[in-house]
Amino acid sequence: MGIVLGAIADDFTGATDLANNLVRSGMRCVQVIGVPEQPLALVDVDAVVVALKSRSCPTSQAVEDSLAALDWLQGQGARQCFFKYCSTFDSTDAGNIGPVSDALLERLRASQTVMVPAFPVNGRTVYQGHLFVGDRLLSDSGMQHHPLNPMRDADLVRVLTRQTPHPVGLAARAVLARGGAATRQHLNALAEQGVRHVICDTLDEADLEVLAEAVVDMPLVTGGSGLGQALPAQYRRRGWLAEVAEPGRLAPASGRALVLSGSCSRATLGQVRHFLERHPGFALDPLALAEGDDHLAAALAFARERLGAGGPVLVYASADPRRVEAAQATLGVARAGRLVEQALGQLATILVEEGVGRLVVAGGESSGAVVSALGIRQLRIGEQIDPGVPWTQTPLSGRAAPLSLALKSGNFGGEDFFTRAFAVLPTEETP
Ligand code: ADP
């Protein structure tokens, strides 16, 4: 028997967010980074999320990568496919949400899919097809200024109509209020009229449950991680999912504890401060990194010594906006970022090789750099530490025990995240 759900996420942290919600709803989940070249031996896995980088890339690339992911997921036996994008529907008039959905529908020979971006617990709701962030329309939420995909229109039917040649319909709240069966009837009636894409209203969790019931048999659904949280209950009702007491159970962690931080977001700066009041840390300076290898060697020597004394240890480039601007003014934005990311990748590679087995990385780009330096291709998703950030585990060649890894995007996590992450992770010593 294959997996139940195969998901294609248009970015890395979005993939983790979905995977985390699937685990919380009872599915055992693996996230893979890019489309694997071979089928995987998936033991005790109900869902796989393929993390792509297709949100802002050229449309043809997004379509090609998404179809490759779909083919691979179908090869793993996925019963339902989920195209995951951001709860703020991040896209441009060229796509990529519309073109990718069209291509996936065509490959699946399916006639219709739904668009359910809402994530009510995070304040993302949809009413009459209009997306709200908190009490603001999407187009007035700050997203109108996004550097890559400014969202200047909150009317998702209109937004999607610009991205697809096919008709776009609406499942309004009044329909949802009549329940799952009535909503399915509405979707079927729209399908008979040739409506391929249906934007769905969602005000709260109850609406997500109605929608999940209505769409559980569709070959393809699309949306944010809110829908992902509601679907597993429907799979269970269908008898597709085994009852598992601890879907996020990981092997006991082992090895030294290290935090690498390349995020300069406000939440991370608070977490760095909090950690440094309790444990040692080394500040990486991009200007010093630009001058040669000495600075990195000093960071490495510091980390080795402190890890040897028991850890946990923090190495951080995180700095306040003034210092970041100063580094960027001298080095340029891209080079400053690259120097930091390379340094974090090198530190991770060397220190994991030398016995770090529990690693926290702060920053979306920084996490990407570390994951790729370590050559990581798949992560089993464990329990969440804070909303949206789970512990994960990955097998490492040449190492008997897996590496435990927590990848935190900038603004996530409470102030004590860097210390609490290790406190909540079961280790070999404290099973
Ligand atoms: P977040 O998730 O908070 O946005 P990211 O890791 O995605 O964090 O992005 C932070 C970016 O800032 C990275 O490219 C990182 O290399 C860069 N960076 C980190 N520290 C500094 C610094 N002190 N000066 C300049 N750039 C930095």
Side-chain angles (χ1 to χ4, degrees), residues 262-265 268 286 317-319 323-324 327-328 336-338 340-341 362-366 409-410:
S263 157
C264 302
S265 298
T268 307
S318 314
R323 289 198 19 233
V324 172
Q328 290 175 337
R338 206 166 49 239
V340 169
E341 287 166 29
E365 292 298 324
S366 307
S409 79

Side-chain angles (χ1 to χ4, degrees), residues 80 184 212-220 238 240:
Q80 185 166 50
R184 191 175 311 128
E213 184 186 338
V215 305
V216 62
D217 291 313
M218 280 186 167
L220 174 72
R238 286 276 193 283
W240 297 348

Side-chain angles (χ1 to χ4, degrees), residues 253-259 356-360 391 403-404 422 425 427:
S254 61
R256 306 252 182 240
L258 173 69
V259 183
V356 164
R358 294 170 290 157
L359 176 61
V360 171
W391 270 111
L403 172 68
S404 299
F422 298 113
L425 179 68
T427 60

